[in-house]
Amino acid sequence: MLKIKIPNVCEIEQRYAIEILLGEFLGLTFSIEIYDGDVIEIIKAEDKNKFSKLTLNASFFFKAHNYWLKTDSMPFLPLLNWRPADDGINSNLVSQTIPVLYGSPGIEKNGENIHLNVDIFGSVFFMLSRYEELIVNKRDKHDRFPANASVAFKANFLDRPIVNEYLEILWSCLSSKWNDLNRKKLKGSNFITCDLDTPFDPSLNFFKYALKKSFNLFLEKKIFKSFKVIFLYFLSKFGFKIRDHYSEMINWIMDSNERFGNIVSFYFIAKQTSKLDGFDKFNSSKIRNLLNEIFTRGHKVGVHPGYETFKNSDYFKKTIDEFKKVLNEEKIIQNEIGGRQHYLRWDNSKTPQLYEASGLNYDTTLCFADKAGFRCGVCYEYSMYDLVNRKKLSVKEKPLIAMDSTIISSKYEALGYSEKALQRFLYFKKICYQFDGTFNLLWHNSHFDNEKDKEFFIKLIE
């Protein structure tokens, strides 16, 4: 067992970072005590050499102690870079040079002792807790923290899971000192998800939407398709059975993933809180039938709290209550229920607490809408942290890595259906697998406009 001594500052935050890295990620056993030092000290209880220890810089926690959630506790840009191999540390990294968020590059050796100048635990806490999002006030038109406001974007490491890399450096140091330590075995996997903003094609059921869709097609000079939308709407209203592309794609998603042994998680809007929340009533027979079909086929269902829920406790509670009520009535029982926020709206001072209070098991919102990548710096599931009340939460975060529209749409990365777009998706999958992590992909059932969507999707889920 490892014995860890931590400085007498930000005790809860230090404990959290240690529990995530050493406990949840590595699966090691350890004890923690407080002392008057200024570094984090690790020794092995069974080590016959009582003077052998690993120490780490703890500068973030001292900064946070003095300037909690203040600008003065942020990393100083531009960041310094470190090449661990130059100091004899050969770890699994995306690049052999890694940014240093807190502390400084390099290690120091003194006899049997190793000191890491990099503040690994503080840097990990900064990333996993999304600490900067309570300091930096920049938001987009949907009141979301944008990628370009993050340290990861500014320091050019959003495309790499820096927490995983710091973990590998830490493991290299631990295992080089105590080679009988055994880490948890993980295996790379896919977490395929679908937000059912519109489970059924609204242009077949709502004239306003049909008119809007027809008008947009007319502007694109797709005259035949424009008139066809209106024609199909009226056929539907007169009772003719019309093929619903959105609904068909839900079945196609399940069919495709079943070929590769993937279980898909589908997220439903259970309560309308805005005109942006779609049209379908969650307690309708159509939705209930869909829920049962998904569940019967061995896939998962989750909740997609509406546009106005991310910092509104009343809307959020009503949404979760409605979701659980319908699942209970349909006798759908899952070992865990999670959610993802509509439009990826997230307020780091309020949304985590809403998930915790609701009894949901996990969230899977945390990716930037405008840039794919590692918003939390990691491709592992982990326990979240409440920065307001300063405590570890029981609800888990399953970080989203890439969303269909983020890479393809003209309003975000704007790569379209190019080979470059496909390679970008595949890059993130490869990196997640490099660290035996989880490639969390979001693809909407309404985002299968052409065969390229299907082609991309199949290559990503196989």
Side-chain angles (χ1 to χ4, degrees):
M1 185 175 76
L2 298 176
K3 296 180 69 174
I4 305 172
K5 292 182 179 180
I6 61 174
N8 191 21
V9 293
C10 292
E11 176 193 343
I12 299 170
E13 287 75 26
Q14 288 188 80
R15 287 181 181 274
Y16 168 80
I18 292 167
E19 287 167 4
I20 299 298
L21 283 183
L22 299 186
E24 294 188 13
F25 292 171
L26 291 178
L28 303 177
T29 57
F30 55 89
S31 64
I32 300 175
E33 63 180 78
I34 300 171
Y35 82 129
D36 291 331
D38 59 1
V39 297
I40 294 172
E41 180 181 296
I42 303 176
I43 65 171
K44 191 164 181 287
E46 303 86 359
D47 193 349
K48 294 179 181 179
N49 185 351
K50 300 300 181 183
F51 299 100
S52 176
K53 59 187 175 183
L54 171 66
T55 58
L56 298 94
N57 182 293
S59 57
F60 166 78
F61 299 110
F62 283 93
K63 283 187 175 183
H65 174 71
N66 293 316
Y67 306 105
W68 180 252
L69 296 179
K70 298 289 193 302
T71 303
D72 285 347
S73 62
M74 288 281 286
F76 183 77
L77 297 175
L79 298 179
L80 297 173
N81 288 287
W82 177 38
R83 186 178 172 85
D86 291 344
D87 288 296
I89 298 175
N90 296 303
S91 301
N92 177 22
L93 304 175
V94 174
S95 169
Q96 289 307 303
T97 300
I98 190 167
V100 176
L101 281 169
Y102 291 94
S104 58
I107 66 172
E108 299 170 15
K109 294 183 178 179
N110 181 12
E112 294 293 321
N113 298 336
I114 298 176
H115 176 72
L116 268 169
N117 293 327
V118 182
D119 180 0
I120 286 181
F121 291 110
S123 300
V124 165
F125 179 85
F126 175 84
M127 292 299 300
L128 297 184
S129 70
R130 304 308 306 130
Y131 184 85
E132 64 185 321
E133 296 185 26
L134 267 63
I135 299 175
V136 180
N137 294 321
K138 187 176 181 181
R139 298 293 184 270
D140 68 9
K141 67 178 183 178
H142 293 294
D143 201 13
R144 300 176 299 201
F145 184 79
N148 62 16
S150 70
V151 169
F153 177 83
K154 292 174 181 176
N156 197 33
F157 65 84
L158 182 57
D159 284 1
R160 57 193 293 183
I162 196 168
V163 169
N164 291 91
E165 295 183 275
Y166 281 145
L167 177 68
E168 294 304 315
I169 292 170
L170 177 61
W171 174 248
S172 292
C173 293
L174 289 169
S175 58
S176 68
K177 286 192 66 61
W178 303 293
N179 58 19
D180 57 340
L181 291 175
N182 294 306
R183 68 185 293 180
K184 182 193 295 186
K185 300 293 184 185
L186 299 171
K187 185 178 180 181
S189 62
N190 294 330
F191 183 46
I192 309 302
T193 67
C194 177
D195 292 353
L196 296 175
D197 304 341
T198 45
F200 309 103
D201 187 348
S203 70
L204 297 176
N205 298 289
F206 302 94
F207 183 68
K208 180 180 177 181
Y209 193 91
L211 195 63
K212 179 182 178 182
K213 185 176 179 179
S214 176
F215 181 69
N216 288 337
L217 288 168
F218 187 83
L219 291 178
E220 295 172 11
K221 298 184 180 180
K222 298 176 180 177
I223 309 302
F224 176 75
K225 287 186 176 181
S226 173
F227 285 107
K228 184 180 178 181
V229 169
I230 300 299
F231 179 65
L232 291 176
Y233 166 79
F234 282 109
L235 283 180
S236 177
K237 283 301 172 185
F238 282 113
F240 290 89
K241 188 171 178 61
I242 308 299
R243 290 182 64 183
D244 186 326
H245 180 66
Y246 286 13
S247 177
E248 287 181 351
M249 286 302 98
I250 297 172
N251 281 301
W252 184 85
I253 289 170
M254 288 191 282
D255 291 341
S256 301
N257 277 279
E258 285 164 10
R259 285 165 48 198
F260 301 109
N262 296 328
I263 295 173
V264 185
S265 294
F266 294 90
Y267 300 96
F268 289 80
I269 295 176
K271 203 84 172 173
Q272 275 72 32
T273 64
S274 159
K275 63 181 181 180
L276 297 174
D277 285 342
F279 306 90
D280 301 291
K281 299 298 182 185
F282 186 65
N283 63 358
S284 68
S285 59
K286 287 173 69 177
I287 293 290
R288 288 172 183 262
N289 289 338
L290 179 56
L291 285 165
N292 277 293
E293 182 176 2
I294 291 169
F295 181 67
T296 301
R297 291 181 65 167
H299 299 283
K300 302 291 185 181
V301 296
V303 64
H304 195 39
Y307 188 82
E308 296 293 353
T309 62
F310 76 121
K311 54 182 177 181
N312 186 306
S313 58
D314 184 50
Y315 280 152
F316 197 91
K317 184 178 186 305
K318 287 178 179 177
T319 295
I320 305 307
D321 287 348
E322 178 69 6
F323 183 80
K324 290 182 176 179
K325 171 178 170 289
V326 171
L327 258 60
N328 184 57
E329 290 172 355
E330 296 301 315
K331 296 181 172 54
I332 294 174
I333 300 172
Q334 296 182 164
N335 58 355
E336 64 175 17
I337 295 177
R340 176 184 289 128
Q341 290 302 114
H342 194 30
Y343 276 74
L344 305 186
R345 298 184 95 200
W346 187 266
D347 183 331
N348 213 35
S349 69
K350 295 182 174 65
T351 320
Q353 295 88 330
L354 296 177
Y355 272 74
E356 182 83 352
S358 72
L360 290 176
N361 300 104
Y362 73 86
D363 166 73
T364 182
T365 301
L366 289 179
C367 182
F368 294 116
D370 52 332
K371 289 281 185 185
F374 301 94
R375 178 173 178 172
C376 303
V378 74
C379 54
Y380 296 158
E381 174 184 325
Y382 67 93
S383 299
M384 301 187 77
Y385 192 81
D386 178 352
L387 288 166
V388 176
N389 298 299
R390 299 182 70 167
K391 63 179 183 178
K392 182 181 179 181
L393 300 175
S394 61
V395 65
K396 306 288 187 180
E397 178 60 30
K398 298 186 178 188
L400 177 61
I401 307 300
M403 176 172 68
D404 45 21
S405 58
T406 299
I407 291 175
I408 294 169
S409 173
S410 59
K411 64 182 178 180
Y412 295 134
E413 294 190 21
L415 295 181
Y417 295 97
S418 63
E419 180 62 23
K420 186 176 180 181
L422 176 59
Q423 291 307 315
R424 184 151 169 77
F425 279 114
L426 290 172
Y427 163 82
F428 287 116
K429 180 177 180 178
K430 181 191 76 171
I431 293 297
C432 292
Y433 273 66
Q434 178 181 333
F435 293 94
D436 294 316
T438 301
F439 175 56
N440 187 340
L441 174 70
L442 162 57
W443 210 284
H444 296 80
N445 64 305
S446 55
H447 205 293
F448 288 94
D449 297 326
N450 55 56
E451 288 304 310
K452 276 291 184 183
D453 279 304
K454 289 186 175 181
E455 179 186 322
F456 277 27
F457 188 74
I458 291 296
K459 288 184 177 178
L460 293 171
I461 67 172
E462 62 185 7

